[in-house]
């Protein structure tokens, strides 16, 4: 496998590179991992309906998220502790995202500070993911640093009042290796008491607020009422509540409830360009990639992430052409049907 063709190849290579500690943390899901598996299986149940004899000379994969231009509808998801996967950590990811013409979301539990990540890829678009820690001063300092360093949105992750129980990681005795500094300790200090009322405080920083982890019509409606600029339909890659719907199955109810009043993004289980097309068809504006990106990071650092983002973009371009669409905006509900 010296020449990886796709995300699955990167996954196999990443498994070889990482020790059990890092691998189980990256790979694993909560409980019986039914949601982890279903995220991927569910994409395959949505069949594509290509239209033929459509002149698609020029394919343009680019789009925007909250007004920020991106080269393809693929954004880098917030992933904690990236130095666990490669010594260059979040700096490698930031540079790769910039080179791929897309946006990176930096985790609150990163192994680099917001300012240092900004410095690694000056001028590149990036958002900051917020966890609210019991020690509010830690959270406030991170947000202030993000605001001072041109992060363009605050992404509040709402599916994690407490960390899910990932038995694979527990079995291998998961730990942060000595010498790795994490901006804030996700494993101990989350504040489970945050509620809708806290959104005002977040919005008070003057940046658009994105809610990550909305999977129901009811919460989509509330998100809009509370001024969210976007929601991410996400089940945290199957790492939180096991038994939650695959995100591609939850997407239609969220899109319907939002009714154009905010942007809708999706993550969890995206491994192929055709998964991106399915999400677009069901009303997402773009997807986030978590593990896919991290497999590339583990294999080769910055060039690895660049390669994964590049191959997914190429798969989207090919898929658009074969679907009979010349841009993401042309992919519509008629391009998929559900076949269990
Ligand atoms: C995550 N995810 C995550 N989300 C978040 O809001 N803050 C975080 O710090 C992390 N950390 C994290 C670490 C690791 C190792 C993984 C795999 C995931 C969730 C992430 O943003 C995203 O929702 C999922 O990764 C999407 O699923 P896929 O693309 O990994 O299948
Ligand atoms: C995780 C947390 C950090 O999924 O979001 O591990």
């Amino acid at each position: 496998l010296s020449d990886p063709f796709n995300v699955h190849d990167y996954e196999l290579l990443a498994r070889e590179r990482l020790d059990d500690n890092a691998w189980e943390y990256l790979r694993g899901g909560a409980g019986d991992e039914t949601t982890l598996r279903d995220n991927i299986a569910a994409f395959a149940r949505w069949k594509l309906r290509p239209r033929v004899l459509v002149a698609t000379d020029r394919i343009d994969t680019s789009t925007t998220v909250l007004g920020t231009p991106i080269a393809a509808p693929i954004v880098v998801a917030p992933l904690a502790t990236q130095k666990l996967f490669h010594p260059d950590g979040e700096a490698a990811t930031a540079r790769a995202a910039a080179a791929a013409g897309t946006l990176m979301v930096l985790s609150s539990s990163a192994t680099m500070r917001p300012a240092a990540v900004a410095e690694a890829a000056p001028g590149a678009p990036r958002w900051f993911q917020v966890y609210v820690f019991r020690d509010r001063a830690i959270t406030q300092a991170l947000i202030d640093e993000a605001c001072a360093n041109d992060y363009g949105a605050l992404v509040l992750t709402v599916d994690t009042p407490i960390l899910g129980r990932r038995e694979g990681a527990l079995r291998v005795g998961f730990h942060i290796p000595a010498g790795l500094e994490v901006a804030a300790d996700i494993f101990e200090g989350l504040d489970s008491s945050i509620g809708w009322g806290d959104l005002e405080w977040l919005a008070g920083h003057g940046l658009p607020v994105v809610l990550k982890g909305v999977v129901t019509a009811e919460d989509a409606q509330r998100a809009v009422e509370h001024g969210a600029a976007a929601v991410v339909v996400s089940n945290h890659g199957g790492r939180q509540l096991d038994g939650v719907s695959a995100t591609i199955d939850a997407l239609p109810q969220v899109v319907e409830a939002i009714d154009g009043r905010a942007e809708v993004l999706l993550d969890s289980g995206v491994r192929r360009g055709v998964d991106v097309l399915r999400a677009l068809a069901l009303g997402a504006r773009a997807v986030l990639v978590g593990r896919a990106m991290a497999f590339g990071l583990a294999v080769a650092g910055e060039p690895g992430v660049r390669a994964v983002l590049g191959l997914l973009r190429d798969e989207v371009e090919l898929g658009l052409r074969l679907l009979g669409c010349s841009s993401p905006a042309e992919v519509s509900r008629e391009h998929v049907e559900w076949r269990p």
Side-chain angles (χ1 to χ4, degrees):
L1 252 189
S2 53
D3 193 8
F5 268 66
N6 55 42
V7 170
H8 304 302
D9 293 345
Y10 275 96
E11 178 170 3
L12 292 174
L13 291 171
R15 174 61 191 110
E16 285 172 15
R17 293 286 169 106
L18 297 175
D19 61 18
D20 288 352
N21 186 56
W23 173 249
E24 270 308 321
Y25 178 59
L26 177 58
R27 179 209 67 80
D32 288 325
E33 301 190 336
T34 48
T35 297
L36 176 71
R37 282 188 300 275
D38 202 39
N39 277 335
I40 290 175
F43 278 117
R45 295 193 288 263
W46 288 93
K47 308 300 177 188
L48 293 165
R49 300 181 71 244
R51 299 302 307 274
V52 300
L53 297 174
V54 184
T56 45
D57 256 10
R58 204 178 144 269
I59 310 290
D60 182 358
T61 60
S62 72
T63 185
T64 62
V65 282
L66 296 183
T68 298
I70 50 176
I74 302 167
V75 166
V76 173
L79 247 78
T81 60
Q82 294 184 15
K83 284 190 182 172
L84 192 59
F85 310 123
H86 190 278
D88 296 341
E90 290 82 2
T93 305
R95 288 191 205 101
T102 195
L103 175 104
M104 169 186 181
V105 187
L106 178 68
S107 167
S108 263
S109 294
T111 38
M112 290 178 66
R113 298 289 306 184
V117 175
E119 203 179 308
R126 60 184 73 81
W127 294 351
F128 185 71
Q129 179 263 324
V130 176
Y131 274 134
V132 178
F133 300 101
R134 274 198 289 269
D135 183 349
R136 289 279 177 123
I138 296 177
T139 309
Q140 192 61 59
L142 283 167
I143 292 175
D144 290 346
E145 192 173 323
C147 290
N149 285 278
D150 295 329
Y151 285 68
L154 296 175
V155 180
L156 181 68
T157 299
V158 290
D159 57 15
T160 311
I162 187 174
L163 221 59
R165 189 174 150 90
R166 299 101 187 232
E167 293 174 8
L170 291 172
R171 270 185 221 286
V172 300
F174 176 71
H175 60 281
I176 300 289
L180 268 198
E181 259 189 59
V182 182
D185 189 357
I186 178 78
F187 306 100
E188 302 273 305
L190 284 175
D191 181 352
S192 328
S193 75
I194 64 161
W196 291 97
D198 292 287
L199 289 185
E200 224 167 290
W201 152 75
L202 202 59
H205 295 89
L207 294 178
V209 170
V210 179
L211 294 191
K212 173 173 177 284
V214 171
V215 290
T216 63
E218 297 91 315
D219 282 344
Q221 173 66 30
R222 290 195 91 166
V224 170
E225 286 164 9
H226 284 84
V231 300
V232 184
V233 178
S234 170
N235 55 41
H236 217 102
R239 297 162 71 82
Q240 288 300 107
L241 181 62
D242 191 39
V244 172
S245 278
T247 50
I248 195 68
D249 292 335
L251 178 61
Q253 65 174 289
V254 171
V255 167
E256 194 188 354
I258 296 264
D259 196 21
R261 293 173 294 168
E263 292 189 358
V264 180
L265 311 177
L266 170 142
D267 74 21
S268 301
V270 174
R271 299 290 183 273
R272 281 287 190 184
V274 285
D275 300 335
V276 183
L277 299 180
R278 289 163 167 132
L280 296 176
L282 291 172
R285 187 155 187 92
V287 304
L288 286 66
V289 287
R291 293 187 186 82
M293 174 282 290
F295 297 151
L297 180 64
V299 171
E302 179 194 339
V305 178
R306 236 192 296 131
V308 165
L309 293 173
L311 76 84
L312 285 173
R313 197 214 69 92
D314 291 350
E315 288 183 1
V316 167
E317 180 176 346
L318 174 66
L320 284 172
R321 191 180 292 278
L322 292 173
L323 204 55
C325 297
S326 59
S327 70
E330 287 184 8
V331 184
S332 67
R333 185 62 185 76
E334 289 71 48
H335 289 103
V336 287
E337 61 188 335
W338 193 69
R339 286 274 175 271

